[in-house]
PDB file of all heavy atoms in Angstrom:
ATOM      1  N   TRP W 103     -14.580   0.586  16.262  1.00  0.00           N
ATOM      2  CA  TRP W 103     -14.308   0.971  14.861  1.00  0.00           C
ATOM      3  C   TRP W 103     -12.887   0.820  14.561  1.00  0.00           C
ATOM      4  O   TRP W 103     -12.445   0.335  13.510  1.00  0.00           O
ATOM      5  CB  TRP W 103     -14.712   2.420  14.657  1.00  0.00           C
ATOM      6  CG  TRP W 103     -16.220   2.561  14.412  1.00  0.00           C
ATOM      7  CD1 TRP W 103     -17.092   1.638  14.122  1.00  0.00           C
ATOM      8  CD2 TRP W 103     -16.918   3.815  14.495  1.00  0.00           C
ATOM      9  NE1 TRP W 103     -18.348   2.147  13.931  1.00  0.00           N
ATOM     10  CE2 TRP W 103     -18.326   3.468  14.147  1.00  0.00           C
ATOM     11  CE3 TRP W 103     -16.645   5.071  14.687  1.00  0.00           C
ATOM     12  CZ2 TRP W 103     -19.326   4.471  14.157  1.00  0.00           C
ATOM     13  CZ3 TRP W 103     -17.588   6.090  14.659  1.00  0.00           C
ATOM     14  CH2 TRP W 103     -18.910   5.711  14.408  1.00  0.00           C
ATOM     15  N   GLY W 104     -11.952   1.291  15.491  1.00  0.00           N
ATOM     16  CA  GLY W 104     -10.527   1.127  15.309  1.00  0.00           C
ATOM     17  C   GLY W 104     -10.099  -0.292  15.064  1.00  0.00           C
ATOM     18  O   GLY W 104      -9.322  -0.575  14.228  1.00  0.00           O
ATOM     19  N   TYR W 105     -10.614  -1.167  15.855  1.00  0.00           N
ATOM     20  CA  TYR W 105     -10.339  -2.621  15.703  1.00  0.00           C
ATOM     21  C   TYR W 105     -10.754  -3.105  14.362  1.00  0.00           C
ATOM     22  O   TYR W 105      -9.996  -3.842  13.627  1.00  0.00           O
ATOM     23  CB  TYR W 105     -10.933  -3.456  16.839  1.00  0.00           C
ATOM     24  CG  TYR W 105     -10.746  -4.986  16.572  1.00  0.00           C
ATOM     25  CD1 TYR W 105      -9.489  -5.560  16.779  1.00  0.00           C
ATOM     26  CD2 TYR W 105     -11.824  -5.749  16.179  1.00  0.00           C
ATOM     27  CE1 TYR W 105      -9.326  -6.857  16.583  1.00  0.00           C
ATOM     28  CE2 TYR W 105     -11.663  -7.132  16.065  1.00  0.00           C
ATOM     29  CZ  TYR W 105     -10.398  -7.689  16.211  1.00  0.00           C
ATOM     30  OH  TYR W 105     -10.250  -9.010  15.986  1.00  0.00           O
ATOM     31  N   VAL W 106     -11.953  -2.775  13.954  1.00  0.00           N
ATOM     32  CA  VAL W 106     -12.515  -3.205  12.614  1.00  0.00           C
ATOM     33  C   VAL W 106     -11.670  -2.682  11.521  1.00  0.00           C
ATOM     34  O   VAL W 106     -11.400  -3.428  10.543  1.00  0.00           O
ATOM     35  CB  VAL W 106     -13.980  -2.808  12.472  1.00  0.00           C
ATOM     36  CG1 VAL W 106     -14.476  -3.042  11.036  1.00  0.00           C
ATOM     37  CG2 VAL W 106     -14.836  -3.515  13.477  1.00  0.00           C
ATOM     38  N   LEU W 107     -11.196  -1.516  11.561  1.00  0.00           N
ATOM     39  CA  LEU W 107     -10.431  -0.900  10.490  1.00  0.00           C
ATOM     40  C   LEU W 107      -9.112  -1.608  10.346  1.00  0.00           C
ATOM     41  O   LEU W 107      -8.631  -1.919   9.299  1.00  0.00           O
ATOM     42  CB  LEU W 107     -10.194   0.620  10.714  1.00  0.00           C
ATOM     43  CG  LEU W 107      -9.256   1.344   9.716  1.00  0.00           C
ATOM     44  CD1 LEU W 107      -9.734   1.120   8.281  1.00  0.00           C
ATOM     45  CD2 LEU W 107      -9.199   2.849  10.084  1.00  0.00           C
ATOM     46  N   LEU W 108      -8.445  -1.828  11.506  1.00  0.00           N
ATOM     47  CA  LEU W 108      -7.143  -2.541  11.527  1.00  0.00           C
ATOM     48  C   LEU W 108      -7.234  -3.976  11.030  1.00  0.00           C
ATOM     49  O   LEU W 108      -6.470  -4.423  10.209  1.00  0.00           O
ATOM     50  CB  LEU W 108      -6.518  -2.556  12.894  1.00  0.00           C
ATOM     51  CG  LEU W 108      -6.046  -1.184  13.503  1.00  0.00           C
ATOM     52  CD1 LEU W 108      -5.438  -1.389  14.904  1.00  0.00           C
ATOM     53  CD2 LEU W 108      -5.076  -0.495  12.548  1.00  0.00           C
ATOM     54  N   ARG W 109      -8.281  -4.606  11.427  1.00  0.00           N
ATOM     55  CA  ARG W 109      -8.430  -6.047  11.037  1.00  0.00           C
ATOM     56  C   ARG W 109      -8.938  -6.193   9.594  1.00  0.00           C
ATOM     57  O   ARG W 109      -8.387  -6.976   8.863  1.00  0.00           O
ATOM     58  CB  ARG W 109      -9.458  -6.682  12.068  1.00  0.00           C
ATOM     59  CG  ARG W 109      -9.651  -8.225  11.762  1.00  0.00           C
ATOM     60  CD  ARG W 109     -10.853  -8.742  12.499  1.00  0.00           C
ATOM     61  NE  ARG W 109     -12.025  -8.164  12.000  1.00  0.00           N
ATOM     62  CZ  ARG W 109     -13.274  -8.260  12.616  1.00  0.00           C
ATOM     63  NH1 ARG W 109     -13.422  -8.995  13.725  1.00  0.00           N
ATOM     64  NH2 ARG W 109     -14.343  -7.680  12.096  1.00  0.00           N
ATOM     65  N   ASP W 110     -10.069  -5.491   9.302  1.00  0.00           N
ATOM     66  CA  ASP W 110     -10.679  -5.730   8.028  1.00  0.00           C
ATOM     67  C   ASP W 110     -10.199  -4.734   6.964  1.00  0.00           C
ATOM     68  O   ASP W 110     -10.096  -5.160   5.767  1.00  0.00           O
ATOM     69  CB  ASP W 110     -12.239  -5.606   8.153  1.00  0.00           C
ATOM     70  CG  ASP W 110     -12.806  -6.660   9.101  1.00  0.00           C
ATOM     71  OD1 ASP W 110     -12.078  -7.558   9.385  1.00  0.00           O
ATOM     72  OD2 ASP W 110     -13.989  -6.401   9.590  1.00  0.00           O
ATOM     73  N   GLY W 111      -9.994  -3.466   7.274  1.00  0.00           N
ATOM     74  CA  GLY W 111      -9.555  -2.441   6.377  1.00  0.00           C
ATOM     75  C   GLY W 111      -8.108  -2.579   5.993  1.00  0.00           C
ATOM     76  O   GLY W 111      -7.748  -2.485   4.794  1.00  0.00           O
ATOM     77  N   PHE W 112      -7.301  -2.888   6.920  1.00  0.00           N
ATOM     78  CA  PHE W 112      -5.782  -2.946   6.667  1.00  0.00           C
ATOM     79  C   PHE W 112      -5.293  -4.446   6.764  1.00  0.00           C
ATOM     80  O   PHE W 112      -4.160  -4.648   6.403  1.00  0.00           O
ATOM     81  CB  PHE W 112      -5.061  -2.116   7.639  1.00  0.00           C
ATOM     82  CG  PHE W 112      -5.206  -0.608   7.399  1.00  0.00           C
ATOM     83  CD1 PHE W 112      -5.824   0.277   8.378  1.00  0.00           C
ATOM     84  CD2 PHE W 112      -4.956  -0.082   6.162  1.00  0.00           C
ATOM     85  CE1 PHE W 112      -6.044   1.554   8.213  1.00  0.00           C
ATOM     86  CE2 PHE W 112      -5.155   1.353   5.975  1.00  0.00           C
ATOM     87  CZ  PHE W 112      -5.682   2.144   6.963  1.00  0.00           C
ATOM     88  N   GLY W 113      -6.148  -5.351   7.199  1.00  0.00           N
ATOM     89  CA  GLY W 113      -5.682  -6.737   7.175  1.00  0.00           C
ATOM     90  C   GLY W 113      -4.631  -7.114   8.167  1.00  0.00           C
ATOM     91  O   GLY W 113      -3.851  -8.063   8.022  1.00  0.00           O
ATOM     92  N   ILE W 114      -4.620  -6.419   9.386  1.00  0.00           N
ATOM     93  CA  ILE W 114      -3.665  -6.690  10.409  1.00  0.00           C
ATOM     94  C   ILE W 114      -4.246  -7.848  11.252  1.00  0.00           C
ATOM     95  O   ILE W 114      -5.375  -7.699  11.763  1.00  0.00           O
ATOM     96  CB  ILE W 114      -3.337  -5.552  11.252  1.00  0.00           C
ATOM     97  CG1 ILE W 114      -2.675  -4.385  10.358  1.00  0.00           C
ATOM     98  CG2 ILE W 114      -2.419  -5.778  12.468  1.00  0.00           C
ATOM     99  CD1 ILE W 114      -2.407  -3.079  11.086  1.00  0.00           C
ATOM    100  N   ASP W 115      -3.539  -8.921  11.403  1.00  0.00           N
ATOM    101  CA  ASP W 115      -3.967 -10.145  12.163  1.00  0.00           C
ATOM    102  C   ASP W 115      -4.342  -9.780  13.597  1.00  0.00           C
ATOM    103  O   ASP W 115      -3.457  -9.090  14.271  1.00  0.00           O
ATOM    104  CB  ASP W 115      -2.937 -11.186  12.087  1.00  0.00           C
ATOM    105  CG  ASP W 115      -3.424 -12.570  12.517  1.00  0.00           C
ATOM    106  OD1 ASP W 115      -3.554 -12.750  13.773  1.00  0.00           O
ATOM    107  OD2 ASP W 115      -3.825 -13.396  11.675  1.00  0.00           O
ATOM    108  N   HIS W 116      -5.469 -10.356  14.095  1.00  0.00           N
ATOM    109  CA  HIS W 116      -5.798 -10.125  15.458  1.00  0.00           C
ATOM    110  C   HIS W 116      -4.774 -10.491  16.427  1.00  0.00           C
ATOM    111  O   HIS W 116      -4.574  -9.820  17.470  1.00  0.00           O
ATOM    112  CB  HIS W 116      -7.086 -11.049  15.659  1.00  0.00           C
ATOM    113  CG  HIS W 116      -7.526 -11.099  17.012  1.00  0.00           C
ATOM    114  ND1 HIS W 116      -8.622 -10.364  17.547  1.00  0.00           N
ATOM    115  CD2 HIS W 116      -7.096 -11.839  18.125  1.00  0.00           C
ATOM    116  CE1 HIS W 116      -8.795 -10.640  18.833  1.00  0.00           C
ATOM    117  NE2 HIS W 116      -7.892 -11.524  19.199  1.00  0.00           N
ATOM    118  N   ASP W 117      -3.990 -11.603  16.144  1.00  0.00           N
ATOM    119  CA  ASP W 117      -2.974 -12.086  17.028  1.00  0.00           C
ATOM    120  C   ASP W 117      -1.751 -11.212  17.169  1.00  0.00           C
ATOM    121  O   ASP W 117      -0.917 -11.492  18.077  1.00  0.00           O
ATOM    122  CB  ASP W 117      -2.610 -13.497  16.706  1.00  0.00           C
ATOM    123  CG  ASP W 117      -3.769 -14.502  16.913  1.00  0.00           C
ATOM    124  OD1 ASP W 117      -4.693 -14.237  17.701  1.00  0.00           O
ATOM    125  OD2 ASP W 117      -3.738 -15.603  16.212  1.00  0.00           O
ATOM    126  N   ARG W 118      -1.651 -10.197  16.306  1.00  0.00           N
ATOM    127  CA  ARG W 118      -0.459  -9.326  16.350  1.00  0.00           C
ATOM    128  C   ARG W 118      -0.719  -8.030  17.169  1.00  0.00           C
ATOM    129  O   ARG W 118       0.116  -7.211  17.256  1.00  0.00           O
ATOM    130  CB  ARG W 118      -0.051  -8.919  14.932  1.00  0.00           C
ATOM    131  CG  ARG W 118       0.502 -10.002  14.071  1.00  0.00           C
ATOM    132  CD  ARG W 118       0.834  -9.426  12.649  1.00  0.00           C
ATOM    133  NE  ARG W 118       1.887  -8.548  12.700  1.00  0.00           N
ATOM    134  CZ  ARG W 118       2.290  -7.754  11.705  1.00  0.00           C
ATOM    135  NH1 ARG W 118       1.567  -7.775  10.557  1.00  0.00           N
ATOM    136  NH2 ARG W 118       3.263  -6.895  11.773  1.00  0.00           N
ATOM    137  N   LEU W 119      -1.880  -7.986  17.818  1.00  0.00           N
ATOM    138  CA  LEU W 119      -2.326  -6.778  18.497  1.00  0.00           C
ATOM    139  C   LEU W 119      -2.345  -6.895  19.994  1.00  0.00           C
ATOM    140  O   LEU W 119      -2.581  -8.069  20.523  1.00  0.00           O
ATOM    141  CB  LEU W 119      -3.709  -6.310  18.064  1.00  0.00           C
ATOM    142  CG  LEU W 119      -3.796  -5.899  16.534  1.00  0.00           C
ATOM    143  CD1 LEU W 119      -5.315  -5.710  16.233  1.00  0.00           C
ATOM    144  CD2 LEU W 119      -3.027  -4.717  16.240  1.00  0.00           C
ATOM    145  N   HIS W 120      -1.993  -5.896  20.666  1.00  0.00           N
ATOM    146  CA  HIS W 120      -2.036  -5.866  22.114  1.00  0.00           C
ATOM    147  C   HIS W 120      -2.394  -4.409  22.563  1.00  0.00           C
ATOM    148  O   HIS W 120      -2.047  -3.459  21.847  1.00  0.00           O
ATOM    149  CB  HIS W 120      -0.606  -6.182  22.632  1.00  0.00           C
ATOM    150  CG  HIS W 120      -0.518  -6.432  24.081  1.00  0.00           C
ATOM    151  ND1 HIS W 120      -0.782  -5.568  25.088  1.00  0.00           N
ATOM    152  CD2 HIS W 120      -0.223  -7.628  24.846  1.00  0.00           C
ATOM    153  CE1 HIS W 120      -0.638  -6.090  26.339  1.00  0.00           C
ATOM    154  NE2 HIS W 120      -0.284  -7.363  26.180  1.00  0.00           N
ATOM    155  N   VAL W 121      -3.145  -4.303  23.680  1.00  0.00           N
ATOM    156  CA  VAL W 121      -3.593  -3.010  24.035  1.00  0.00           C
ATOM    157  C   VAL W 121      -3.211  -2.675  25.440  1.00  0.00           C
ATOM    158  O   VAL W 121      -3.106  -3.522  26.316  1.00  0.00           O
ATOM    159  CB  VAL W 121      -5.094  -2.817  23.835  1.00  0.00           C
ATOM    160  CG1 VAL W 121      -5.506  -2.949  22.314  1.00  0.00           C
ATOM    161  CG2 VAL W 121      -5.902  -3.852  24.649  1.00  0.00           C
ATOM    162  N   THR W 122      -3.073  -1.353  25.725  1.00  0.00           N
ATOM    163  CA  THR W 122      -2.845  -0.913  27.068  1.00  0.00           C
ATOM    164  C   THR W 122      -4.025   0.103  27.318  1.00  0.00           C
ATOM    165  O   THR W 122      -4.459   0.795  26.467  1.00  0.00           O
ATOM    166  CB  THR W 122      -1.486  -0.259  27.335  1.00  0.00           C
ATOM    167  OG1 THR W 122      -1.353   0.897  26.445  1.00  0.00           O
ATOM    168  CG2 THR W 122      -0.418  -1.260  27.103  1.00  0.00           C
ATOM    169  N   VAL W 123      -4.449   0.152  28.697  1.00  0.00           N
ATOM    170  CA  VAL W 123      -5.580   0.927  29.064  1.00  0.00           C
ATOM    171  C   VAL W 123      -5.191   1.667  30.372  1.00  0.00           C
ATOM    172  O   VAL W 123      -4.484   1.148  31.210  1.00  0.00           O
ATOM    173  CB  VAL W 123      -6.878   0.032  29.295  1.00  0.00           C
ATOM    174  CG1 VAL W 123      -8.053   0.825  29.866  1.00  0.00           C
ATOM    175  CG2 VAL W 123      -7.310  -0.514  27.913  1.00  0.00           C
ATOM    176  N   PHE W 124      -5.698   2.860  30.566  1.00  0.00           N
ATOM    177  CA  PHE W 124      -5.471   3.584  31.780  1.00  0.00           C
ATOM    178  C   PHE W 124      -6.067   2.881  33.006  1.00  0.00           C
ATOM    179  O   PHE W 124      -7.272   2.559  33.070  1.00  0.00           O
ATOM    180  CB  PHE W 124      -6.172   4.972  31.656  1.00  0.00           C
ATOM    181  CG  PHE W 124      -5.887   5.896  32.828  1.00  0.00           C
ATOM    182  CD1 PHE W 124      -4.616   6.308  33.132  1.00  0.00           C
ATOM    183  CD2 PHE W 124      -6.912   6.281  33.661  1.00  0.00           C
ATOM    184  CE1 PHE W 124      -4.410   7.241  34.246  1.00  0.00           C
ATOM    185  CE2 PHE W 124      -6.782   7.155  34.733  1.00  0.00           C
ATOM    186  CZ  PHE W 124      -5.454   7.591  35.090  1.00  0.00           C
ATOM    187  N   GLY W 125      -5.183   2.685  33.995  1.00  0.00           N
ATOM    188  CA  GLY W 125      -5.558   1.858  35.205  1.00  0.00           C
ATOM    189  C   GLY W 125      -6.001   2.746  36.409  1.00  0.00           C
ATOM    190  O   GLY W 125      -6.288   2.187  37.452  1.00  0.00           O
ATOM    191  N   GLY W 126      -5.971   4.098  36.226  1.00  0.00           N
ATOM    192  CA  GLY W 126      -6.473   4.907  37.343  1.00  0.00           C
ATOM    193  C   GLY W 126      -5.271   5.549  38.091  1.00  0.00           C
ATOM    194  O   GLY W 126      -4.173   5.113  38.018  1.00  0.00           O
ATOM    195  N   ASP W 127      -5.558   6.666  38.713  1.00  0.00           N
ATOM    196  CA  ASP W 127      -4.573   7.387  39.543  1.00  0.00           C
ATOM    197  C   ASP W 127      -5.341   8.012  40.700  1.00  0.00           C
ATOM    198  O   ASP W 127      -6.532   7.695  40.999  1.00  0.00           O
ATOM    199  CB  ASP W 127      -3.761   8.375  38.755  1.00  0.00           C
ATOM    200  CG  ASP W 127      -4.607   9.497  38.113  1.00  0.00           C
ATOM    201  OD1 ASP W 127      -5.797   9.662  38.505  1.00  0.00           O
ATOM    202  OD2 ASP W 127      -4.134  10.191  37.188  1.00  0.00           O
ATOM    203  N   ASP W 128      -4.776   8.990  41.367  1.00  0.00           N
ATOM    204  CA  ASP W 128      -5.405   9.542  42.528  1.00  0.00           C
ATOM    205  C   ASP W 128      -6.533  10.636  42.214  1.00  0.00           C
ATOM    206  O   ASP W 128      -7.163  11.122  43.124  1.00  0.00           O
ATOM    207  CB  ASP W 128      -4.370  10.279  43.497  1.00  0.00           C
ATOM    208  CG  ASP W 128      -3.595  11.340  42.774  1.00  0.00           C
ATOM    209  OD1 ASP W 128      -3.769  11.478  41.561  1.00  0.00           O
ATOM    210  OD2 ASP W 128      -2.735  11.991  43.414  1.00  0.00           O
ATOM    211  N   GLN W 129      -6.734  10.785  40.916  1.00  0.00           N
ATOM    212  CA  GLN W 129      -7.786  11.759  40.537  1.00  0.00           C
ATOM    213  C   GLN W 129      -8.824  11.074  39.703  1.00  0.00           C
ATOM    214  O   GLN W 129     -10.013  11.479  39.779  1.00  0.00           O
ATOM    215  CB  GLN W 129      -7.192  12.927  39.787  1.00  0.00           C
ATOM    216  CG  GLN W 129      -6.305  13.850  40.519  1.00  0.00           C
ATOM    217  CD  GLN W 129      -6.037  15.147  39.815  1.00  0.00           C
ATOM    218  OE1 GLN W 129      -6.974  16.063  39.660  1.00  0.00           O
ATOM    219  NE2 GLN W 129      -4.851  15.347  39.298  1.00  0.00           N
TER     220      GLN W 129
END
Side-chain angles (χ1 to χ4, degrees):
W103 282 343
Y105 173 72
V106 170
L107 176 56
L108 292 181
R109 183 195 64 190
D110 300 341
F112 291 119
I114 298 177
D115 192 282
H116 172 99
D117 294 336
R118 293 180 66 193
L119 298 174
H120 194 294
V121 296
T122 59
V123 172
F124 182 65
D127 60 16
D128 58 356
Q129 293 193 74

